[in-house]
Amino acid sequence: MYDIIIVGAGPAGMTAGIYARRANKSVLIIDKGSFGGQITFSPKIENYPAFNEISGTELADKILEQALALGVDVEIDTVVDIIENEDGNKSVIAQNNTYAAKAVIIAAGAAHRKLGIEGEEKFIGEGISFCAVCDGAFYKDKSVLLIGGGNSAMQEALQLSDVCTKVTMVQNLPYLTGEDKLAEQIAKKDNIAVIYNSTVDSIIENTNGTFAGINIDTNGEKSSLYADGMFVAIGLAPENEPFRNVADLNEFGYIRSSESCLTKTNGVFVAGDCRTKQVRQIATAIADGAVAAIAASKYVK
């Protein structure tokens, strides 16, 4: 049995592991995929203290290296349920194993939101992507569409503009919602265009069934945009269904919690993007990880 099990290995989860180990607690981090969470999709991070510029992957590697050096155990597995036992301990049920802990920190993060239009699933990985770092090279010297207007979308657009001949952003609002610095960089790029007040209606297919572009609605006016591929950056959705038994979810699926990182269940805490909060940044995720780990360590003690 571990003192603390952490579900999720993003910045919040790994930071929680660091703080819990420094409190001399035995710690296991379980994640269903790669370590680092959503920051691994960021080619350039410029708003994290101590680094003028660092890639998301490099930052994630540094945090993981620190956690492992302190003695945090890690497992690749998918958690499907958390059960509170009669003795107060917790059973963390995963696809490949069941793990026991005195306390649990949920730091499951969130996944990319999809457009929810017909045919989208068919073209994911075959014309539609969510990661410029991963797939941008496939569109070298080609034109792409990018849906979204927040920080992530603007970072993706800037990354793509370095390899693509043209990047057309489609934003549903009359302005970009990310940082002013990024908006200024977008405006200086000759090969980035932004179409405002527009939503995606449908996908256009070539006669051979491949991705050709999209039909959009701009203030009620219909038009078509043609490109070699499309990147979607419209935010994230939490993946909290497995934790409904031990935590209250709001209408959007986020775990209800304040800055205290507490849930409705004693000994179950929450940290990072999967909880209700106003600001979702690396800095706030790491803050959550520290708060949750300190609270969980006190609970165990």
Side-chain angles (χ1 to χ4, degrees):
M1 177 181 291
Y2 285 91
D3 289 326
I4 300 171
I5 287 179
I6 300 164
V7 182
M14 291 194 291
T15 300
I18 291 169
Y19 271 74
R21 278 300 298 141
R22 288 183 60 82
N24 203 31
K25 301 297 182 285
S26 59
V27 179
L28 171 67
I29 297 179
I30 305 173
D31 195 280
K32 65 180 180 179
S34 60
F35 292 85
Q38 296 302 318
I39 67 170
T40 59
F41 296 121
S42 297
K44 185 188 297 184
I45 295 169
E46 298 176 305
N47 60 357
Y48 189 77
F51 299 100
N52 290 331
E53 179 183 308
I54 189 171
S55 73
T57 299
E58 186 180 359
L59 180 59
D61 287 345
K62 288 180 179 294
I63 301 172
L64 177 60
E65 180 181 347
Q66 184 178 2
L68 293 175
L70 287 168
V72 173
D73 291 338
V74 298
E75 288 285 348
I76 301 297
D77 209 340
T78 301
V79 174
V80 297
D81 200 3
I82 297 174
I83 297 173
E84 183 180 24
N85 302 317
E86 291 184 1
D87 61 2
N89 293 323
K90 314 297 183 291
S91 294
V92 179
I93 314 299
Q95 288 181 348
N96 299 319
N97 205 347
T98 297
Y99 308 87
K102 298 174 184 176
V104 175
I105 298 173
I106 302 168
H112 293 286
R113 289 188 184 277
K114 299 176 183 177
L115 294 169
I117 58 176
E118 185 177 353
E120 182 178 18
E121 295 291 338
K122 171 184 175 181
F123 290 104
I124 291 177
E126 298 289 341
I128 297 178
S129 178
F130 300 90
C131 175
V133 176
C134 310
D135 300 331
F138 293 122
Y139 298 95
K140 181 176 174 59
D141 298 328
K142 296 181 179 180
S143 64
V144 296
L145 306 168
L146 193 144
I147 315 303
N151 278 342
S152 296
M154 289 194 286
Q155 287 177 338
E156 295 274 286
L158 290 167
Q159 173 82 6
L160 291 167
S161 70
D162 290 335
V163 296
C164 300
T165 56
K166 184 176 182 181
V167 180
T168 303
M169 299 180 68
V170 179
Q171 165 70 325
N172 64 341
L173 298 172
Y175 51 86
L176 297 173
T177 57
E179 295 177 356
D180 291 342
K181 286 286 186 182
L182 291 173
E184 291 170 6
Q185 293 178 47
I186 292 286
K188 292 177 181 177
K189 286 282 188 176
D190 293 334
N191 62 337
I192 299 179
V194 186
I195 301 175
Y196 296 100
N197 299 309
S198 301
T199 56
V200 181
D201 275 350
S202 59
I203 295 172
I204 303 170
E205 294 186 34
N206 288 310
T207 54
N208 62 359
T210 57
F211 179 88
I214 56 175
N215 294 310
I216 64 171
D217 184 315
T218 306
N219 292 324
E221 183 177 336
K222 308 291 184 179
S223 61
S224 299
L225 298 174
Y226 293 90
D228 298 294
M230 178 170 72
F231 289 77
V232 180
I234 55 174
L236 304 170
E239 299 181 300
N240 288 328
E241 279 303 314
F243 317 122
R244 188 177 286 277
N245 291 337
V246 294
D248 288 326
L249 309 186
N250 71 3
E251 64 272 29
F252 303 108
Y254 290 95
I255 294 174
R256 296 183 187 275
S257 181
S258 66
E259 302 300 315
S260 67
C261 296
L262 303 177
T263 70
K264 69 177 183 180
T265 303
N266 286 332
V268 178
F269 307 86
V270 61
D273 287 354
C274 63
R275 79 168 180 88
T276 52
K277 58 195 306 183
Q278 292 297 314
V279 179
R280 290 185 172 86
Q281 294 286 307
I282 302 170
T284 62
I286 283 176
D288 278 2
V291 170
I294 292 170
S297 296
K298 287 181 179 178
Y299 172 84
V300 170
K301 184 177 180 180

mmCIF file of all heavy atoms in Angstrom, residues 3 8 11 26 29 52 70-71 76 89 96 121 126 141 147 153 185 188 206 221 228 234 245 275:
data_model
loop_
_atom_site.group_PDB
_atom_site.id
_atom_site.type_symbol
_atom_site.label_atom_id
_atom_site.label_comp_id
_atom_site.label_asym_id
_atom_site.label_seq_id
_atom_site.Cartn_x
_atom_site.Cartn_y
_atom_site.Cartn_z
ATOM 1 N N ASP A 3 1.310 5.424 0.517
ATOM 2 C CA ASP A 3 0.714 6.525 1.274
ATOM 3 C C ASP A 3 -0.188 7.341 0.360
ATOM 4 O O ASP A 3 -1.334 7.656 0.711
ATOM 5 C CB ASP A 3 1.801 7.427 1.860
ATOM 6 C CG ASP A 3 2.571 6.777 2.999
ATOM 7 O OD1 ASP A 3 1.956 6.001 3.751
ATOM 8 O OD2 ASP A 3 3.770 7.038 3.107
ATOM 9 N N GLY A 8 -2.386 10.758 -12.862
ATOM 10 C CA GLY A 8 -2.029 11.776 -13.835
ATOM 11 C C GLY A 8 -0.614 12.269 -13.641
ATOM 12 O O GLY A 8 -0.180 12.545 -12.515
ATOM 13 N N PRO A 11 2.043 18.424 -15.120
ATOM 14 C CA PRO A 11 2.752 19.268 -14.150
ATOM 15 C C PRO A 11 2.172 19.188 -12.743
ATOM 16 O O PRO A 11 2.922 19.152 -11.766
ATOM 17 C CB PRO A 11 2.595 20.674 -14.738
ATOM 18 C CG PRO A 11 2.451 20.445 -16.204
ATOM 19 C CD PRO A 11 1.652 19.180 -16.330
ATOM 20 N N SER A 26 5.379 7.528 0.746
ATOM 21 C CA SER A 26 5.545 6.655 -0.418
ATOM 22 C C SER A 26 4.519 7.072 -1.468
ATOM 23 O O SER A 26 3.346 7.314 -1.157
ATOM 24 C CB SER A 26 5.358 5.191 -0.028
ATOM 25 O OG SER A 26 4.077 4.963 0.533
ATOM 26 N N ILE A 29 2.704 7.387 -9.051
ATOM 27 C CA ILE A 29 1.988 8.151 -10.071
ATOM 28 C C ILE A 29 1.555 7.184 -11.165
ATOM 29 O O ILE A 29 2.368 6.422 -11.694
ATOM 30 C CB ILE A 29 2.869 9.260 -10.679
ATOM 31 C CG1 ILE A 29 3.261 10.287 -9.618
ATOM 32 C CG2 ILE A 29 2.123 9.955 -11.826
ATOM 33 C CD1 ILE A 29 4.170 11.399 -10.160
ATOM 34 N N ASN A 52 13.602 31.750 -19.893
ATOM 35 C CA ASN A 52 13.146 32.700 -20.904
ATOM 36 C C ASN A 52 12.381 31.986 -22.006
ATOM 37 O O ASN A 52 11.421 32.506 -22.565
ATOM 38 C CB ASN A 52 14.339 33.443 -21.507
ATOM 39 C CG ASN A 52 14.977 34.408 -20.547
ATOM 40 O OD1 ASN A 52 14.303 34.951 -19.666
ATOM 41 N ND2 ASN A 52 16.274 34.627 -20.680
ATOM 42 N N LEU A 70 13.736 11.594 -6.483
ATOM 43 C CA LEU A 70 13.264 11.602 -5.100
ATOM 44 C C LEU A 70 12.641 10.268 -4.686
ATOM 45 O O LEU A 70 12.314 10.063 -3.512
ATOM 46 C CB LEU A 70 12.240 12.725 -4.907
ATOM 47 C CG LEU A 70 12.808 14.142 -4.882
ATOM 48 C CD1 LEU A 70 11.697 15.177 -4.980
ATOM 49 C CD2 LEU A 70 13.628 14.366 -3.613
ATOM 50 N N GLY A 71 12.449 9.375 -5.654
ATOM 51 C CA GLY A 71 11.921 8.054 -5.322
ATOM 52 C C GLY A 71 10.460 7.848 -5.624
ATOM 53 O O GLY A 71 9.838 6.906 -5.110
ATOM 54 N N ILE A 76 2.407 2.919 -15.996
ATOM 55 C CA ILE A 76 1.575 3.261 -17.145
ATOM 56 C C ILE A 76 0.339 2.376 -17.085
ATOM 57 O O ILE A 76 0.421 1.152 -17.243
ATOM 58 C CB ILE A 76 2.325 3.042 -18.477
ATOM 59 C CG1 ILE A 76 3.584 3.898 -18.526
ATOM 60 C CG2 ILE A 76 1.409 3.364 -19.660
ATOM 61 C CD1 ILE A 76 3.319 5.393 -18.485
ATOM 62 N N ASN A 89 -9.130 3.625 3.624
ATOM 63 C CA ASN A 89 -8.152 3.544 2.549
ATOM 64 C C ASN A 89 -8.857 3.515 1.195
ATOM 65 O O ASN A 89 -10.064 3.284 1.106
ATOM 66 C CB ASN A 89 -7.267 2.304 2.734
ATOM 67 C CG ASN A 89 -6.393 2.412 3.960
ATOM 68 O OD1 ASN A 89 -5.897 3.483 4.287
ATOM 69 N ND2 ASN A 89 -6.205 1.297 4.672
ATOM 70 N N ASN A 96 -5.134 -2.700 -15.719
ATOM 71 C CA ASN A 96 -4.200 -3.815 -15.575
ATOM 72 C C ASN A 96 -3.940 -4.247 -14.145
ATOM 73 O O ASN A 96 -3.316 -5.284 -13.925
ATOM 74 C CB ASN A 96 -2.859 -3.450 -16.231
ATOM 75 C CG ASN A 96 -3.009 -3.164 -17.716
ATOM 76 O OD1 ASN A 96 -3.738 -3.844 -18.421
ATOM 77 N ND2 ASN A 96 -2.315 -2.140 -18.192
ATOM 78 N N GLU A 121 -14.246 12.324 -36.957
ATOM 79 C CA GLU A 121 -13.504 11.146 -36.506
ATOM 80 C C GLU A 121 -12.780 10.458 -37.664
ATOM 81 O O GLU A 121 -11.667 9.959 -37.514
ATOM 82 C CB GLU A 121 -14.448 10.166 -35.814
ATOM 83 C CG GLU A 121 -15.057 10.677 -34.520
ATOM 84 C CD GLU A 121 -14.041 10.812 -33.410
ATOM 85 O OE1 GLU A 121 -12.993 10.142 -33.478
ATOM 86 O OE2 GLU A 121 -14.297 11.588 -32.467
ATOM 87 N N GLU A 126 -5.738 11.797 -40.442
ATOM 88 C CA GLU A 126 -5.738 11.716 -41.912
ATOM 89 C C GLU A 126 -6.240 13.029 -42.483
ATOM 90 O O GLU A 126 -7.141 13.058 -43.316
ATOM 91 C CB GLU A 126 -6.630 10.558 -42.388
ATOM 92 C CG GLU A 126 -6.183 9.188 -41.931
ATOM 93 C CD GLU A 126 -4.911 8.733 -42.624
ATOM 94 O OE1 GLU A 126 -4.582 9.287 -43.690
ATOM 95 O OE2 GLU A 126 -4.238 7.829 -42.094
ATOM 96 N N ASP A 141 5.501 23.140 -46.684
ATOM 97 C CA ASP A 141 5.236 23.775 -47.975
ATOM 98 C C ASP A 141 3.800 23.546 -48.447
ATOM 99 O O ASP A 141 3.520 23.562 -49.649
ATOM 100 C CB ASP A 141 6.224 23.285 -49.039
ATOM 101 C CG ASP A 141 7.664 23.634 -48.689
ATOM 102 O OD1 ASP A 141 7.887 24.683 -48.058
ATOM 103 O OD2 ASP A 141 8.570 22.839 -49.030
ATOM 104 N N ILE A 147 -8.234 25.874 -36.269
ATOM 105 C CA ILE A 147 -9.472 26.296 -35.614
ATOM 106 C C ILE A 147 -9.178 26.654 -34.169
ATOM 107 O O ILE A 147 -8.678 25.844 -33.401
ATOM 108 C CB ILE A 147 -10.534 25.174 -35.664
ATOM 109 C CG1 ILE A 147 -10.604 24.551 -37.057
ATOM 110 C CG2 ILE A 147 -11.886 25.723 -35.230
ATOM 111 C CD1 ILE A 147 -10.885 25.529 -38.171
ATOM 112 N N ALA A 153 -3.891 27.864 -29.643
ATOM 113 C CA ALA A 153 -4.122 28.029 -31.077
ATOM 114 C C ALA A 153 -3.081 28.952 -31.699
ATOM 115 O O ALA A 153 -2.555 28.673 -32.783
ATOM 116 C CB ALA A 153 -5.530 28.570 -31.321
ATOM 117 N N GLN A 185 2.696 38.712 -32.490
ATOM 118 C CA GLN A 185 3.517 37.863 -33.352
ATOM 119 C C GLN A 185 2.703 37.340 -34.532
ATOM 120 O O GLN A 185 3.203 37.259 -35.666
ATOM 121 C CB GLN A 185 4.081 36.699 -32.544
ATOM 122 C CG GLN A 185 5.092 37.107 -31.488
ATOM 123 C CD GLN A 185 5.579 35.918 -30.676
ATOM 124 O OE1 GLN A 185 5.933 34.878 -31.223
ATOM 125 N NE2 GLN A 185 5.577 36.063 -29.357
ATOM 126 N N LYS A 188 2.335 39.915 -37.291
ATOM 127 C CA LYS A 188 3.559 40.187 -38.055
ATOM 128 C C LYS A 188 3.852 39.102 -39.097
ATOM 129 O O LYS A 188 4.736 39.287 -39.934
ATOM 130 C CB LYS A 188 4.745 40.317 -37.101
ATOM 131 C CG LYS A 188 4.679 41.554 -36.207
ATOM 132 C CD LYS A 188 5.858 41.579 -35.233
ATOM 133 C CE LYS A 188 5.781 42.794 -34.323
ATOM 134 N NZ LYS A 188 6.886 42.803 -33.324
ATOM 135 N N ASN A 206 -12.313 15.437 -50.848
ATOM 136 C CA ASN A 206 -11.955 15.262 -52.253
ATOM 137 C C ASN A 206 -12.719 14.065 -52.814
ATOM 138 O O ASN A 206 -13.312 13.271 -52.076
ATOM 139 C CB ASN A 206 -10.445 15.012 -52.384
ATOM 140 C CG ASN A 206 -9.630 16.267 -52.102
ATOM 141 O OD1 ASN A 206 -9.897 17.326 -52.661
ATOM 142 N ND2 ASN A 206 -8.634 16.141 -51.229
ATOM 143 N N GLU A 221 -23.149 34.123 -43.141
ATOM 144 C CA GLU A 221 -22.740 33.985 -44.542
ATOM 145 C C GLU A 221 -21.897 32.720 -44.711
ATOM 146 O O GLU A 221 -20.908 32.518 -44.000
ATOM 147 C CB GLU A 221 -21.943 35.206 -44.977
ATOM 148 C CG GLU A 221 -21.529 35.180 -46.442
ATOM 149 C CD GLU A 221 -20.808 36.431 -46.876
ATOM 150 O OE1 GLU A 221 -21.016 37.485 -46.224
ATOM 151 O OE2 GLU A 221 -20.036 36.373 -47.855
ATOM 152 N N ASP A 228 -4.727 21.720 -47.243
ATOM 153 C CA ASP A 228 -4.207 20.341 -47.235
ATOM 154 C C ASP A 228 -4.479 19.630 -45.918
ATOM 155 O O ASP A 228 -4.470 18.397 -45.862
ATOM 156 C CB ASP A 228 -2.698 20.362 -47.509
ATOM 157 C CG ASP A 228 -2.376 20.930 -48.881
ATOM 158 O OD1 ASP A 228 -2.747 20.295 -49.878
ATOM 159 O OD2 ASP A 228 -1.768 22.014 -48.945
ATOM 160 N N ILE A 234 -9.176 24.154 -29.803
ATOM 161 C CA ILE A 234 -10.327 24.851 -29.223
ATOM 162 C C ILE A 234 -10.485 24.542 -27.736
ATOM 163 O O ILE A 234 -11.584 24.626 -27.185
ATOM 164 C CB ILE A 234 -11.622 24.509 -29.982
ATOM 165 C CG1 ILE A 234 -11.839 22.995 -30.032
ATOM 166 C CG2 ILE A 234 -11.577 25.085 -31.385
ATOM 167 C CD1 ILE A 234 -13.178 22.591 -30.642
ATOM 168 N N ASN A 245 -17.582 8.796 -8.437
ATOM 169 C CA ASN A 245 -17.956 8.208 -7.147
ATOM 170 C C ASN A 245 -17.367 8.969 -5.964
ATOM 171 O O ASN A 245 -17.962 8.974 -4.869
ATOM 172 C CB ASN A 245 -17.487 6.749 -7.066
ATOM 173 C CG ASN A 245 -18.256 5.838 -7.993
ATOM 174 O OD1 ASN A 245 -19.375 6.139 -8.390
ATOM 175 N ND2 ASN A 245 -17.652 4.710 -8.340
ATOM 176 N N ARG A 275 -9.851 20.301 -12.377
ATOM 177 C CA ARG A 275 -10.755 20.871 -11.377
ATOM 178 C C ARG A 275 -11.309 22.220 -11.849
ATOM 179 O O ARG A 275 -10.791 22.835 -12.786
ATOM 180 C CB ARG A 275 -10.047 21.029 -10.031
ATOM 181 C CG ARG A 275 -9.133 22.239 -9.930
ATOM 182 C CD ARG A 275 -8.724 22.464 -8.473
ATOM 183 N NE ARG A 275 -7.835 23.612 -8.321
ATOM 184 C CZ ARG A 275 -8.260 24.860 -8.141
ATOM 185 N NH1 ARG A 275 -9.553 25.141 -8.125
ATOM 186 N NH2 ARG A 275 -7.386 25.854 -7.990
#
